[in-house]
Short mmCIF file of all heavy atoms in Angstrom, two decimals:
data_model
loop_
_atom_site.label_atom_id
_atom_site.label_comp_id
_atom_site.label_asym_id
_atom_site.label_seq_id
_atom_site.Cartn_x
_atom_site.Cartn_y
_atom_site.Cartn_z
N ASP A 1 0.87 -1.21 0.06
CA ASP A 1 -0.02 0.01 -0.01
C ASP A 1 0.89 1.23 -0.04
O ASP A 1 1.00 1.97 1.06
CB ASP A 1 -0.90 0.01 1.21
CG ASP A 1 -1.92 1.12 1.21
OD1 ASP A 1 -2.01 1.81 0.16
OD2 ASP A 1 -2.54 1.39 2.24
N PRO A 2 1.56 1.53 -1.18
CA PRO A 2 2.51 2.73 -1.25
C PRO A 2 1.77 4.05 -1.07
O PRO A 2 2.53 5.09 -0.78
CB PRO A 2 3.03 2.60 -2.57
CG PRO A 2 2.09 1.80 -3.42
CD PRO A 2 1.36 0.84 -2.42
N LYS A 3 0.39 4.11 -1.22
CA LYS A 3 -0.28 5.45 -1.10
C LYS A 3 -0.37 5.86 0.32
O LYS A 3 -0.57 7.09 0.67
CB LYS A 3 -1.62 5.34 -1.69
CG LYS A 3 -1.56 5.12 -3.22
CD LYS A 3 -3.03 5.08 -3.75
CE LYS A 3 -3.02 4.91 -5.30
NZ LYS A 3 -4.36 4.93 -5.83
N HIS A 4 -0.33 4.91 1.33
CA HIS A 4 -0.36 5.23 2.71
C HIS A 4 0.89 4.69 3.50
O HIS A 4 0.73 3.69 4.18
CB HIS A 4 -1.66 4.72 3.40
CG HIS A 4 -2.91 5.27 2.64
ND1 HIS A 4 -3.52 4.55 1.58
CD2 HIS A 4 -3.64 6.35 2.97
CE1 HIS A 4 -4.52 5.25 1.25
NE2 HIS A 4 -4.67 6.34 2.01
N PRO A 5 2.08 5.29 3.27
CA PRO A 5 3.26 4.70 3.83
C PRO A 5 3.38 4.73 5.26
O PRO A 5 2.75 5.65 6.00
CB PRO A 5 4.33 5.65 3.21
CG PRO A 5 3.67 6.92 2.99
CD PRO A 5 2.24 6.60 2.60
N VAL A 6 3.97 3.79 5.80
CA VAL A 6 4.28 3.50 7.26
C VAL A 6 5.62 3.63 7.48
O VAL A 6 6.45 2.99 6.79
CB VAL A 6 3.68 2.15 7.69
CG1 VAL A 6 4.04 1.89 9.17
CG2 VAL A 6 2.18 2.15 7.58
N ASN A 7 6.12 4.45 8.44
CA ASN A 7 7.57 4.48 8.73
C ASN A 7 7.93 3.16 9.51
O ASN A 7 7.30 2.82 10.45
CB ASN A 7 7.81 5.64 9.76
CG ASN A 7 9.26 5.81 9.94
OD1 ASN A 7 10.07 4.91 10.20
ND2 ASN A 7 9.72 7.06 9.72
N PRO A 8 8.84 2.33 8.78
CA PRO A 8 9.11 1.04 9.29
C PRO A 8 9.59 1.03 10.82
O PRO A 8 9.47 0.05 11.49
CB PRO A 8 10.25 0.57 8.41
CG PRO A 8 10.01 1.32 7.10
CD PRO A 8 9.53 2.66 7.62
N LEU A 9 10.06 2.25 11.28
CA LEU A 9 10.63 2.26 12.66
C LEU A 9 9.52 2.02 13.70
O LEU A 9 9.81 1.47 14.72
CB LEU A 9 11.24 3.64 12.92
CG LEU A 9 12.40 4.03 12.03
CD1 LEU A 9 12.97 5.46 12.42
CD2 LEU A 9 13.58 3.01 12.31
N ILE A 10 8.27 2.31 13.37
CA ILE A 10 7.18 2.09 14.31
C ILE A 10 6.96 0.59 14.54
O ILE A 10 6.35 0.25 15.52
CB ILE A 10 5.92 2.83 14.07
CG1 ILE A 10 5.18 2.15 12.84
CG2 ILE A 10 6.18 4.32 13.84
CD1 ILE A 10 3.77 2.83 12.65
N GLY A 11 7.42 -0.21 13.54
CA GLY A 11 7.18 -1.64 13.67
C GLY A 11 7.98 -2.21 14.79
O GLY A 11 7.51 -3.21 15.43
N SER A 12 9.12 -1.66 15.15
CA SER A 12 9.97 -2.16 16.26
C SER A 12 9.20 -2.02 17.59
O SER A 12 9.46 -2.65 18.54
CB SER A 12 11.29 -1.43 16.32
OG SER A 12 11.04 -0.03 16.59
N ALA A 13 8.26 -0.95 17.71
CA ALA A 13 7.56 -0.77 18.85
C ALA A 13 6.51 -1.83 19.15
O ALA A 13 5.74 -1.77 20.18
CB ALA A 13 6.87 0.63 18.78
N GLY A 14 6.33 -2.79 18.23
CA GLY A 14 5.47 -3.92 18.48
C GLY A 14 5.73 -4.78 19.62
O GLY A 14 4.87 -5.50 20.07
N VAL A 15 6.99 -4.69 19.92
CA VAL A 15 7.29 -5.44 21.29
C VAL A 15 6.61 -4.64 22.38
O VAL A 15 6.45 -3.46 22.35
CB VAL A 15 8.81 -5.53 21.56
CG1 VAL A 15 9.50 -6.40 20.43
CG2 VAL A 15 9.46 -4.23 21.59
N SER A 16 6.20 -5.37 23.44
CA SER A 16 5.25 -4.73 24.36
C SER A 16 5.83 -3.88 25.53
O SER A 16 5.37 -3.91 26.66
CB SER A 16 4.18 -5.69 24.88
OG SER A 16 4.86 -6.79 25.53
N ALA A 17 7.14 -3.51 25.35
CA ALA A 17 7.67 -2.59 26.43
C ALA A 17 7.16 -1.22 26.24
O ALA A 17 7.72 -0.36 25.55
CB ALA A 17 9.21 -2.62 26.17
N VAL A 18 6.10 -1.02 27.00
CA VAL A 18 5.35 0.41 26.92
C VAL A 18 5.91 1.29 28.00
O VAL A 18 5.96 0.87 29.11
CB VAL A 18 3.84 0.12 27.14
CG1 VAL A 18 3.09 1.39 27.01
CG2 VAL A 18 3.34 -0.92 26.06
N PRO A 19 6.07 2.55 27.60
CA PRO A 19 6.20 3.11 26.26
C PRO A 19 7.68 3.21 25.77
O PRO A 19 7.93 3.97 24.88
CB PRO A 19 5.58 4.58 26.56
CG PRO A 19 6.13 4.93 27.91
CD PRO A 19 6.24 3.65 28.69
N MET A 20 8.49 2.31 26.36
CA MET A 20 9.90 2.55 26.00
C MET A 20 10.21 2.28 24.55
O MET A 20 10.87 3.08 23.80
CB MET A 20 10.70 1.52 26.78
CG MET A 20 10.77 1.76 28.32
SD MET A 20 11.69 0.37 29.23
CE MET A 20 10.33 -0.84 29.23
N ALA A 21 9.61 1.27 24.00
CA ALA A 21 9.81 0.97 22.62
C ALA A 21 9.25 2.06 21.66
O ALA A 21 9.97 2.32 20.65
CB ALA A 21 9.11 -0.38 22.25
N ALA A 22 8.16 2.64 21.94
CA ALA A 22 7.65 3.74 21.25
C ALA A 22 8.54 4.98 21.27
O ALA A 22 8.78 5.53 20.24
CB ALA A 22 6.22 4.16 21.67
N ARG A 23 9.12 5.24 22.33
CA ARG A 23 10.04 6.33 22.54
C ARG A 23 11.23 6.13 21.66
O ARG A 23 11.79 7.02 21.07
CB ARG A 23 10.40 6.69 24.05
CG ARG A 23 9.26 7.22 24.80
CD ARG A 23 9.79 7.84 26.07
NE ARG A 23 10.50 6.93 26.90
CZ ARG A 23 10.06 6.45 27.98
NH1 ARG A 23 8.78 6.59 28.38
NH2 ARG A 23 10.85 5.63 28.75
N VAL A 24 11.77 4.95 21.72
CA VAL A 24 12.92 4.58 20.93
C VAL A 24 12.63 4.68 19.44
O VAL A 24 13.45 5.29 18.69
CB VAL A 24 13.41 3.13 21.13
CG1 VAL A 24 14.48 2.70 20.18
CG2 VAL A 24 13.92 3.03 22.62
N SER A 25 11.51 4.32 18.89
CA SER A 25 11.12 4.51 17.57
C SER A 25 11.11 5.99 17.15
O SER A 25 11.61 6.34 16.13
CB SER A 25 9.77 3.89 17.28
OG SER A 25 9.71 2.51 17.51
#
């Protein structure tokens, strides 16, 4: 879906270390 790009960095936040992983992304 190239029309709605996702920054791949947010995929790393899928590990459930909240909110550490989101901050790292």
Side-chain angles (χ1 to χ4, degrees):
D1 185 13
K3 294 182 179 180
H4 301 91
V6 172
N7 191 309
L9 295 178
I10 72 170
S12 66
V15 297
S16 58
V18 179
M20 293 175 282
R23 290 202 300 259
V24 170
S25 297

